[in-house]
Amino acid sequence: MSDSNQLTEKNSDLRTEFLHLQMGPSHPAMHGTVRIKLTLDGETVHAADVEIGYLHRGMEKSSEAHTWSQVIPYTDRLNYVSPLINNVGYAMAVEKLLGVEIPERNKYIRVLMSEISRIADHLTAIGAMALEIAAFTPFLWSMQAREEFYRLIEEVTGARVTSAYTRIGGLRDDLPEGFADLYQAAEDRLLRLMDDIDALLTKNRIFYDRLVDVGSISREDAVDLGFTGPVLRSTGVDYDVRKDHPYLIYDRVDFDVPVGQHGDNYDRYLVRMEEIRQSVRIIRQVLRDMPDGPINIDDWSILLPPKDAVYNSIEATIAHFMLIIHGIQVPAGEAYAFVEGGNGELGFYLVSDGDGKPYRMHVRGPCFYLVQGLETMIKGQMIADIIPTFDSLNMIGGEIDR
Amino acid sequence: MSQKALQKIVETYQDFILGTHDQHGDETVIVMRDALPDLFHFLKYDPDLAFDMLLDVTAVDCVKMRNEPDGLPEGHRFFVVYHFRSLGLRQRIRIKVPLSEDDPVIPTACGVWKGANWPEREAYDMFGIVFKGHPDLRRILLYDEFQGYPLRKDYPLRGYQPRIPMPTLKGDPVPGLEDSK
């Protein structure tokens, strides 16, 4: 035993070992719904096991015990940041099974509300990502802007988040009086705040250094892993359901699909920023072109008859009774309907056996596939970069865990 | 939308096809399990199909269906349902594979599409369908001690689960490490 021996010991002889760290579910950046079992080599992520299911509520099972219309409130809770897109997607899936065509004005309103929700969704993603790398001000600004849009949603649907706005073959209600003016005020505020956020973040040295080349994913990996939405587009793939498989009236409006190049966190931020501006463009066209007319189909076997008729005619009373007790009788078959949600392709796979209840209802949530790819994105990165990477996916527990 | 792709699959795998339909515009091929690992490669790498995105994997338990399900052979209970999309050709297809209750085993698609990992785990979790060759077939949404498969039609809506003992404090196995005490 001599001191000189210890001094000559090389660095490579020192014993090192992996550190195991549980990140979440009770971690402010994990949004309470995800746990990552990390194996760390110093500060570098050696392996990660992402564990989901903390928000599982058996929504698909519950749907099988409810009528087709009663499932609509469940769809709000899938993506609680943009619930209206879920409402629209589910209603479209059931209408596909029924084979009904909804009125023109209804289509415009559905697109309008989807885009308003998309703006709220992207603002949340951008704000939260900025917040979690300690940029507090843009977070407050994006929340202010989002609140404007939640107020619009409240004006139309009666609730900020749990909207349950669509009906199968219709909508709960038409737009309120003077909606265009309300929207204009919100848009002015949004664009001002967007410029502020842009000025504070986009060319900010700290923000840039924290995000560029962090959490990168290649185009091939992203496609292979089933990525869709802004995260896929940030890798340079221009797949957008609204463009590639236009639904409702998306083929009649003019908008661009922004794509990134590197598939890193910074590109995802830029793609989302641009998509907000494109959504504003869509909404302007929708408000300009929206026709007057009915919003609901005229079929009492699908939609409840007006209250007046229910109280004053026996036919309407019977129709009302049948719909409430037995639900809509959807012909046997299966259908997969998909929309562009805030985070990508949101699909509803429905199977009917001709009953008043869904026989099987499956939700293809875009976040499920994004979080699946998280391990690929954080492997070999620093532990501090997990947080912005995780946030750039805009993980929504409701649609992953269902 | 993708009639050509459907035709090509039917021609190439004639002996294994149990039925096809394009209800509501969704082209669907119902195919026997025996065609499987091979069919996955064909779907992804054939230039006329090029289904490079696996969008969804799920299952349907047909045991309580009121109507006779299309293409479900005698004695079979489940359909495993795949949804594919091709980026380049912008086409979609749905593949359905019937499985029996006694032998709910199907080859995994993980080797062809990495994205099949989690949805297959979910189908295992919810229906008890075993994906042979899956690298990491564990429950995903529910906990390991959960008994039964909740989305099967014979699982009650409000099923009761027994209490589970407190987990030991040894720690969970960590991926990438042999020994993690």
Side-chain angles (χ1 to χ4, degrees), chain B residues 8-9 12-13 37-47 49-51:
Chain B
K8 180 138 193 191
I9 296 169
T12 316
Y13 286 88
D38 203 41
L39 177 65
F40 287 145
H41 281 272
F42 183 66
L43 284 173
K44 185 168 178 182
Y45 297 110
D46 187 272
L49 306 178
F51 289 110

Side-chain angles (χ1 to χ4, degrees), chain B residues 19-30:
Chain B
T20 61
H21 69 73
D22 58 352
Q23 229 174 56
H24 310 293
D26 298 346
E27 277 81 4
T28 306
V29 183
I30 303 161

Side-chain angles (χ1 to χ4, degrees), chain A residues 18 20 22 35 37-39 46-54 56 60-62 64-66 96-99 219 221 223-228 232 237-239 241 243-245 329 331-338 345 349 351-356 358-360 362-364 367-369 371-372 375-376 400-402, chain B residues 1 21 23-26 28 30 44 52-67 70 79 81 83 85-87 90-92 94 96 110 112-122 126-127 136 138 140-142 149-158 171-177 179-181:
Chain A
F18 290 118
H20 312 309
Q22 303 278 348
R35 177 164 76 140
K37 294 186 217 164
L38 291 166
T39 310
H46 175 73
D49 181 18
V50 182
E51 194 181 285
I52 59 170
Y54 289 91
H56 179 63
E60 288 177 5
K61 183 81 175 176
S62 304
E64 292 170 8
H66 290 72
K96 191 170 175 182
L97 268 177
L98 284 165
R219 187 195 150 105
D221 275 350
V223 172
D224 213 21
L225 282 162
F227 280 22
T228 47
L232 178 67
V237 180
D238 66 344
Y239 172 50
V241 180
K243 270 274 192 248
D244 289 278
H245 306 277
Q329 301 298 306
E334 55 185 339
Y336 178 77
F338 48 99
E345 176 173 326
Y349 174 61
V351 181
S352 169
D353 66 344
D355 198 6
Y359 183 80
R360 169 96 173 94
H362 176 72
V363 184
R364 189 250 180 229
C367 285
F368 189 74
Y369 294 83
V371 174
Q372 171 175 230
E375 188 187 346
T376 319
I400 296 177
D401 296 344
R402 278 157 281 152
Chain B
M1 201 159 65
H21 69 73
Q23 229 174 56
H24 310 293
D26 298 346
T28 306
I30 303 161
K44 185 168 178 182
D52 42 9
M53 292 175 94
L54 172 63
L55 286 174
D56 195 28
V57 184
T58 187
V60 181
D61 180 2
C62 299
V63 76
K64 285 194 179 156
M65 243 183 188
R66 299 196 310 178
N67 59 322
D70 261 1
F79 270 125
V81 186
H83 285 94
R85 180 178 188 276
S86 162
L87 258 187
R90 306 191 171 190
Q91 55 187 5
R92 286 170 180 266
R94 178 192 298 144
K96 290 170 72 176
C110 285
V112 186
W113 297 272
K114 273 190 271 176
N117 191 325
W118 278 23
E120 287 187 351
R121 275 175 68 186
E122 192 192 319
M126 295 293 160
F127 290 92
D136 183 27
R138 292 177 284 151
I140 184 164
L141 295 177
L142 301 169
Y149 301 103
L151 279 183
R152 286 191 178 187
K153 287 284 173 180
D154 48 16
Y155 190 91
L157 182 65
R158 292 181 184 151
D172 300 328
V174 174
L177 282 183
D179 183 21
S180 56
K181 291 269 167 68

